[in-house]
Amino acid sequence: MFLIDTLNTLILVTGVLLLLGIASSKFSARIGVPVLVLFLAVGMLAGSEGLGGLDFDNFGLAYTVGTLSLALILFDGGLRTPASSIRVSWKPSFVLATVGVLITSLITGAAAAWILELSWLEGLLLGSIVGSTDAAAVFATLRYGGVSLSERLSATLEIESGANDPMAIFLTIGCIEVLSNYTEAGVTVLNSEAVLALLNLFAMQMVVGAAAGLAIGKAAVWTINRVNLDAAGLYPVLATALGFLSFGAAASVGGSGFLAVYLTGIVIGNSRIVFQRGIFLFHDAAAWFGQIIMFIVLGLLSYPSRLFAVAGQGLLVAAVLVFVARPVTVAMTLFAFRFSWRELVFISWVGLKGAVPITLATFPLMYEIEGARELFDVVFFVVVVSAVVQGWTMPFMARWLHVDVPSEPPPPVTLEISSLRHVDGDIVDYTVDQESRAVDRLVRELALPEGVVIAMITRHDQIIPPHGNTRIEAGDHVVVVLRPDTRPLVNKVFARGNEETSELPVQLEFPLRASITVSEMEDLYGIPLKAPAKATLDEYLRSQLPGDQLRVGAAVVCRPIVLYVRGINSRGLIERVGMVILASEELPPEEEPLRDVPTDNAESAR
Amino acid sequence: MKFSDFINVESIRAQLNASDKESVIREMVGALAEAGQVQSSDHEGIIKAIMKREELGSTGIGRGVAVPHTKHPSVDHLVGTVAVSPAGVDFNSLDGEKVQLFFLLVSPPDRPGDHLRALENISRQLRDGMFCKFLKQSKSAEEIRQLLDEADANQFSS
């Protein structure tokens, strides 16, 4: 019966800890502490030196839990990273995730060696362990920190954190390898063979991790869309399975599982897949589960008393990391990427450490490197300081540095297509604001294209069934069922802030008096008009437009500009002209004579 | 041509004080002079030239946007800046509306092509209503710079 009792206790404890974790997340929003700090705190409180008195110091298990959770968190993070984010930020992210980690590790390592009176190599080992930013911490802080950042900024930080584990693992393993080959005489046995092996390790981590991640991602999309499962609940499980497969397959042949699972998530998340909402929701939950479990376990693993013992040195190392190593790294790697200094300061500040350093810190313990326990404590201390100080202050920093952007209010209700087959349709939720073109219009007045239907309107707490004579009000959420190809048109119907486009010409034009002379035009814009220098635009345009074509809106193309007649007086003289500059790719063929472009601001002849 | 090719970042102003056409131009040319983009001694000449161009037809092109510009021998390459007036300024615009968003360009007399390409770039980018709106709502030079960067990046990817 003893085994069953233990198991029951374990389940009870897990339940209680999860509940405490969830309860602390409620708390988080109110006092602004990042959730992961609270999860850590719950773990520490429940631990052997806290109120809970749970004795847990199984590094192996902690490492397992940490890795599994991180895989889930990275997979979810990948699912929710749009391709546009990657396009704008993969370059700075990549540099930060490779060279950046190396620079941070070197600086922190040198400082740690001095502060902790370690050898250079041991210092570097510590530097490598804390060199990478942590995906779990960065995702949690950026996505639930209550601040919206520009896409490029948040994507740079997120993708960096998702992609820098191979480098950190490479450096850590490298240091451990060299340290364990230390000979008695203090001479390192590091021959060219070992160096090659190390470089090979890094290349394998990166290349195999990336290749496996992308390939399995593609295969996963194919599988999910063609498998035709009968039970909806199996789809998210299928996705998880494919994520784990990606991690495992990459890791088993020497690649980085973290990188692989992240990339697989990105590929799946950016494809049209069956039962997408269900899959996303499930992995959102899985990532939360992973975060709570991981940080609570890490909290359990720490002994506050031991942390106190290394507090002084830990603080110094953390200070070097936060105030010297990370800023120097960011400045050295990102100077070419045209970030503003405010953004650079912010990126420096969000060098959050989390579970990865702690799991990496268990490596030396497993390899039984001398002083590994102390190293672990220092790393743990640094991580806690980073998570608490940087994570906590991130929203304030964002506001102080003005890098935050206004966020859109979330829709009050959502509908989704839950189909187990591929359906050629989308449900899109439009928020109608004061400036939307749809405001104050009846449903039947909206120029909705064929194949588009408004399924529901929500106004405050009410659901309004849409009829032709339902009036759309500002603040409404209009849920539209549409075919994907009609989406741009429907977007236009509900577009916010674009209302001007319907009132003004698509092209912006410069108004000119028709009394300007041809030579002035040439002088100002370098456009040679085929007319005498003294001629006015009025004379020139009338010479180009035969009598029946002389009307408001008539156009004469004089590459690279088009001149539009915008006002004709009662005597038939042109008074006002509009000049539009053609984009290079829009230049019409040389001999296009005339073109009418209706514009709302063109007054009729008077 | 991209914004980054001709917009001088240091002279972007998010909070113009000016309340009439000439003082807007004065403030923006002043910003360019401060950033060393134009000689202080040419300051007045450039303002005059821009005002002269305005007489040929306001560069207030509607939607709360104006693009005052001129050619002037004091520059050897195209220089430009952006400014936002939260309150808006009467600029004799096409649509009679007050102008919140200003692009000011000064180009050398011998580079007519660049001048037109810059104007073309501005008018093409401003077709994006959101871009235009966000620019007008910008509270800091930094925000403006970011928006311009994003517009440049989109252009690059498309």
Side-chain angles (χ1 to χ4, degrees), chain A residues 338 506 513 524-525 582, chain B residues 53 55-56 69 117 149:
Chain A
R338 298 189 38 193
V506 189
R513 282 178 210 285
L524 275 167
Y525 300 109
L582 297 171
Chain B
R53 163 62 187 84
E55 282 168 23
L56 302 177
H69 55 266
R117 290 275 72 83
D149 271 359

Side-chain angles (χ1 to χ4, degrees), chain A residues 19 54 71 104 120 145 191-192 255 269 352 391 403 427 496 571 575:
Chain A
L19 279 174
L54 293 177
T104 309
W120 285 100
N191 48 22
S192 56
L352 291 174
V403 293
I427 292 185
R496 354 156 62 170
R571 288 175 295 148
E575 283 198 321

Side-chain angles (χ1 to χ4, degrees), chain A residues 338 340 343 435 496 504-506 508-513 516 523-525 581-583 586 601, chain B residues 4 53 55-58 61 63 69 71 94 115 117 119-120 126-127 130 133 142 145-146 149:
Chain A
R338 298 189 38 193
S340 70
E343 288 168 322
E435 288 168 46
R496 354 156 62 170
L504 275 170
V506 189
L508 289 180
E509 63 178 50
F510 291 90
L512 294 171
R513 282 178 210 285
I516 299 178
D523 210 33
L524 275 167
Y525 300 109
I581 302 156
L582 297 171
E586 287 175 355
N601 65 319
Chain B
S4 58
R53 163 62 187 84
E55 282 168 23
L56 302 177
S58 171
I61 50 181
R63 298 186 191 195
H69 55 266
K71 292 191 178 179
L94 200 62
H115 194 43
R117 290 275 72 83
L119 289 171
E120 183 268 315
L126 289 176
R127 280 188 220 165
M130 291 308 267
K133 186 175 167 185
E142 186 41 44
R145 191 197 59 78
Q146 274 178 19
D149 271 359

Side-chain angles (χ1 to χ4, degrees), chain A residues 339-346 400-401, chain B residues 142 145:
Chain A
F339 283 97
S340 70
W341 69 267
R342 288 165 185 280
E343 288 168 322
L344 291 178
V345 171
F346 187 75
W400 183 60
L401 290 165
Chain B
E142 186 41 44
R145 191 197 59 78

